[in-house]
Amino acid sequence: MRADLVPDDLWERVAPLLPPAPERRRRHPGRLRVPNRAALTGVMYVLRTGVAWRDVPAETVGCSGVTAWRRLRDWTEAGVWPCLHAALLTELRRADLLDLEHCAVDGSHPGPQRGDHVGPSPVDRARPGPKHHLIVDRHGTPLAVTLTGGNRHDVTQLLPLLDAVPPIRGLRGRPRRKPRHLYADRGYDFDKYRRLLWKRGIKPVIARRGVAHGSGLGKVRSVVERAFAWLHQFKRLRVRYERRADLHKGLLELACSIICLRRLRTSR
């Protein structure tokens, strides 16, 4: 097993969230169940390298790609990845490493593919593909990610993206779920959504269409572009391979959790 794919600090946070293993049959129990850590190693191997599940080297990773895929399916359906992401965000806030005063949103088109939640991309000759929508804090830490078809406009996912931010605990008082200032590019320039943000107690800082560049907002919004670059370092996310949208979104949430864990490590 490649221990560097699933270090101890990651495993210590994932293990308590995994559903219990099914009981073995008394008669004809079959082969022993692959350990969860080995299966997670297989998932991380695919996430980082982008190889097909059938090409996972079982002798190196510790499990076959089919087993890793099945375990990913089970854990995604059990809601493991959102819980892991929320727990890491709580740790970051407790360590005063999360800035929820100023946040930024944006969307990104990964490579084309068919399956659930795809649509003709307006920036890639109408090839069918998905779209990632991301909200980050001032440091580029991912707070929430959503998945839609490539033909969905960014602004239509603004409110669902805000609703996807989990309750972030870690300090006394009520958990935080929304920023005070939200930065966005010209794709979000609609007065209707500005009013909706104000009703939620969020001050919109959105670039105006038709206005010359040089507003200075790019200095703040650059963190979300950097976060997309971090996500796309995981080669499995550059091109949509999973036909099931829930599995692709599960890998997205796992990648966001790893980015949060990296920030915790660098702060020590």
Side-chain angles (χ1 to χ4, degrees), residues 116-130:
D116 300 332
H117 286 62
V118 298
S121 172
V123 299
D124 193 10
R125 293 173 290 180
R127 291 182 180 180

Side-chain angles (χ1 to χ4, degrees), residues 13-220:
R13 292 168 171 83
V14 174
L17 305 176
L18 300 181
E23 295 184 2
R24 296 188 66 194
R25 295 174 298 181
R26 294 183 180 273
R27 296 184 61 186
H28 310 293
R31 292 181 298 178
L32 290 175
R33 179 181 171 87
V34 174
N36 283 334
R37 188 165 185 174
L40 182 59
T41 303
V43 173
M44 290 295 301
Y45 184 86
V46 172
L47 179 62
R48 289 185 179 275
T49 63
V51 303
W53 293 100
R54 63 177 178 272
D55 295 331
V56 173
E59 64 281 358
T60 303
V61 173
C63 76
S64 67
V66 174
T67 299
W69 182 90
R70 289 173 178 168
R71 213 65 65 88
L72 171 66
R73 176 199 60 192
D74 296 341
W75 294 341
T76 301
E77 293 174 352
V80 170
W81 314 124
C83 294
L84 174 63
H85 190 198
L88 286 166
L89 289 174
T90 297
E91 290 189 49
L92 286 169
R93 191 178 181 212
R94 185 181 297 119
D96 197 22
L97 297 174
L98 206 62
D99 186 350
L100 296 175
E101 298 296 315
H102 304 273
C103 296
V105 296
D106 204 355
S108 174
H109 292 267
Q113 179 63 349
R114 301 184 183 275
D116 300 332
H117 286 62
V118 298
S121 172
V123 299
D124 193 10
R125 293 173 290 180
R127 291 182 180 180
K131 195 171 189 178
H132 301 159
H133 304 268
L134 184 65
I135 179 171
V136 301
D137 78 335
R138 189 170 187 175
H139 306 292
T141 305
L143 302 179
V145 63
T146 59
L147 177 68
T148 65
N151 58 332
R152 298 300 299 272
H153 199 286
D154 286 344
V155 75
T156 63
Q157 300 306 306
L158 177 59
L159 299 184
L161 188 58
L162 288 170
D163 294 335
V165 177
I168 304 175
R169 306 178 186 277
L171 297 178
R172 294 183 61 182
R174 295 181 179 179
R176 289 284 300 272
R177 294 200 61 172
K178 61 183 181 181
R180 296 190 184 276
H181 302 80
L182 188 65
Y183 294 81
D185 60 19
R186 291 168 174 80
Y188 298 85
D189 182 22
F190 291 87
D191 290 337
K192 169 188 174 181
Y193 288 91
R194 282 190 173 89
R195 291 192 296 268
L196 292 174
L197 289 176
W198 278 114
K199 286 183 179 180
R200 293 185 175 216
I202 302 173
K203 180 181 178 181
V205 187
I206 303 174
R208 290 282 186 180
R209 286 173 290 181
V211 178
H213 291 273
S215 62
L217 294 181
K219 297 179 181 179
V220 182

